[in-house]
Amino acid sequence: MSKSEIRVAFETITPLWTGDAWRDNTEIRPSSLIGSLRFWFEVICYFGGICKKEEFNNEKGRFEKDIKNDEIRKKLLTSGTDFNGQVQALKELGVPIPAIVFGTTGWRSLIEINEIKLIEDFYFGNRLKIPHKFCFNKNNKDEVKEENDCPKRSDNNFSVFYFKIPYFWGKIEVVFRVHNEIKDSIFLPLLTFMDKYGYWGGGWNIGYGRLKVLSVNSQNGNWEEKDKFDFSKFGINKTLTITESYEKIPDKNLLKEKVFKIRYWRKNCESINTNIKEMLKDLILEKANLRIRENNRKDRHYVFGKTGNIQNEDLPQGSKILPYINKINSSYECGLLSIVGILSLY
């Protein structure tokens, strides 16, 4: 299949962390970036009605269906081996569109990363001088402490938060290889979405992973942003604009509602603007205050995240409300972003 090479330059808005289970983060892992792209594409497809709940694989936690090589070979004998024939064969086998785009057992991804280059003033460490941990008094949120002044873990008096250190800070160039049939209809709109609202790597619950697109194929600033997804290549006569999946809300309490939208509540951060460390801490506190006011334990765990296994609850849950920072020219906007609507899948 014919693929194009697309070179995308990014800079960090917030720290990028793609570490492993041992918290080792001395390189940027391509699999982590591809996993992030897939997650957000699934969110867009689900909220936009492209993917149905019954296509969701609860065991894997994503829209997925494994197929066997002989199954796809048999289908291709009748559908043909060009792009349209392959898509038709996969759809007849019940493979969801995100799994067609990003691959599944027996089918290779249409989007791959060939290379990640570190460019200009990159740094693995703690460039922002973020504390390893900070905490605040549950009864007096103005009492904020850092490092050894905090207890080891959250207790009745203090909520404790840990930052992932070391992290990456700087600029990178990612060389993607993208199938030509989805370059303009899927990949570039997804890149536009990631630039505006998406997160990469890990640590989203603490606001990590926001990257700004600097250039695409060396077109600085004026790269051709695509706002509209077109699913006609997958036999679905439907388009989705990024704004259709997104909604600004005035009341942060509405972030907890299960709606099929990505919701954004904006906070005035002017007093600490340009200080990423203080913005992250401030937004984590905003989220923590929302969490404290949620009395239902299960809802609290599912909306704000939990680790480990708890009786009568499902898989460990990541937070569905995320600290959000965006860079616009030389200034920043900040707030909280909600994807609580995906809880309808569980």
Side-chain angles (χ1 to χ4, degrees):
M1 293 192 292
S2 179
K3 291 188 175 182
S4 294
E5 182 178 280
I6 302 175
R7 310 172 82 88
V8 184
F10 298 93
E11 71 170 351
T12 47
I13 299 174
T14 63
L16 175 63
W17 189 85
T18 65
D20 52 29
W22 294 271
R23 301 175 67 84
D24 188 11
N25 187 41
T26 56
E27 62 177 355
I28 298 171
R29 295 188 299 121
S31 60
S32 180
L33 302 189
I34 287 291
S36 302
L37 274 178
R38 178 174 186 150
F39 174 85
W40 287 103
F41 184 59
E42 291 193 351
V43 170
I44 292 164
C45 287
Y46 181 54
F47 286 176
I50 301 297
C51 289
K52 307 300 181 188
K53 182 176 180 177
E54 52 269 25
E55 296 179 289
F56 189 73
N57 186 319
N58 281 298
E59 286 188 10
K60 295 189 176 183
R62 61 189 186 188
F63 289 92
E64 178 79 85
K65 183 182 179 184
D66 295 337
I67 54 174
K68 297 177 181 176
N69 288 335
D70 58 343
E71 288 180 313
I72 186 69
R73 287 195 196 101
K74 286 180 183 177
K75 285 289 182 184
L76 290 175
L77 289 176
T78 55
S79 63
T81 56
D82 62 2
F83 180 81
N84 293 333
Q86 291 174 343
V87 168
Q88 181 183 337
L90 290 164
K91 289 182 65 179
E92 288 177 2
L93 290 169
V95 179
I97 287 178
I100 297 176
V101 173
F102 286 97
T104 185
T105 302
W107 175 250
R108 190 171 182 176
S109 175
L110 303 177
I111 299 174
E112 298 173 307
I113 290 178
N114 263 13
E115 186 179 8
I116 298 175
K117 296 180 179 179
L118 308 178
I119 55 175
E120 290 186 38
D121 195 26
F122 65 86
Y123 189 82
F124 286 96
N126 189 7
R127 175 67 61 87
L128 301 178
K129 301 187 186 309
I130 293 174
H132 287 78
K133 65 177 176 179
F134 81 103
C135 58
F136 77 98
N137 190 324
K138 293 179 178 178
N139 300 310
N140 177 16
K141 68 177 183 179
D142 293 329
E143 186 182 356
V144 179
K145 300 180 178 181
E146 293 184 355
E147 305 294 13
N148 292 333
D149 291 334
C150 296
K152 287 185 177 179
R153 58 182 64 88
S154 297
D155 55 26
N156 291 333
N157 298 316
F158 282 89
S159 290
V160 183
F161 303 91
Y162 288 86
F163 285 109
K164 297 177 182 297
I165 299 172
Y167 52 80
F168 173 80
W169 187 262
K171 297 178 182 178
I172 55 174
E173 182 184 73
V174 181
V175 182
F176 292 95
R177 276 181 56 79
V178 181
H179 193 284
N180 288 332
E181 296 285 353
I182 66 161
K183 175 187 162 191
D184 292 321
S185 59
I186 300 296
F187 178 75
L188 289 177
L190 184 56
L191 190 63
T192 303
F193 173 87
M194 295 299 289
D195 177 61
K196 295 180 183 300
Y197 309 116
Y199 294 71
W200 302 82
W204 303 352
N205 63 317
I206 51 174
Y208 278 23
R210 289 281 301 133
L211 299 180
K212 190 73 181 172
V213 175
L214 296 176
S215 68
V216 177
N217 290 335
S218 300
Q219 293 182 15
N220 293 317
N222 296 318
W223 62 281
E224 190 179 0
E225 293 186 10
K226 300 280 187 181
D227 181 60
K228 184 184 293 183
F229 292 89
D230 182 350
F231 294 90
S232 59
K233 297 289 185 183
F234 300 95
I236 299 175
N237 187 25
K238 185 170 184 177
T239 59
L240 283 177
T241 61
I242 291 175
T243 51
E244 285 179 86
S245 304
Y246 170 82
E247 180 182 29
K248 278 187 178 179
I249 55 172
D251 180 358
K252 65 180 177 182
N253 290 296
L254 299 177
L255 294 166
K256 297 187 289 184
E257 292 184 346
K258 292 179 187 177
V259 295
F260 287 0
K261 293 275 188 181
I262 296 167
R263 282 186 155 180
Y264 170 53
W265 169 76
R266 182 175 180 176
K267 179 176 183 176
N268 185 347
C269 296
E270 288 184 1
S271 62
I272 52 176
N273 209 316
T274 73
N275 188 329
I276 299 297
K277 178 181 75 172
E278 293 304 319
M279 278 194 279
L280 288 176
K281 288 171 59 179
D282 188 59
L283 294 172
I284 291 170
L285 288 176
E286 287 285 358
K287 189 177 76 164
N289 284 322
L290 271 179
R291 188 180 195 278
I292 287 173
R293 293 200 295 272
E294 177 55 62
N295 295 321
N296 183 294
R297 190 182 76 161
K298 189 171 182 178
D299 285 348
R300 188 167 63 245
H301 288 165
Y302 275 60
V303 171
F304 296 97
K306 70 177 180 67
T307 57
N309 294 316
I310 296 179
Q311 191 175 9
N312 300 323
E313 294 185 13
D314 296 327
L315 301 169
Q317 298 285 333
S319 177
K320 312 302 183 300
I321 296 179
L322 311 173
Y324 172 81
I325 300 175
N326 192 30
K327 186 175 184 181
I328 302 174
N329 298 321
S330 59
S331 64
Y332 296 86
E333 64 171 337
C334 73
L336 296 174
L337 203 79
S338 170
I339 51 171
V340 171
I342 65 171
L343 286 174
S344 302
L345 289 167
Y346 300 102

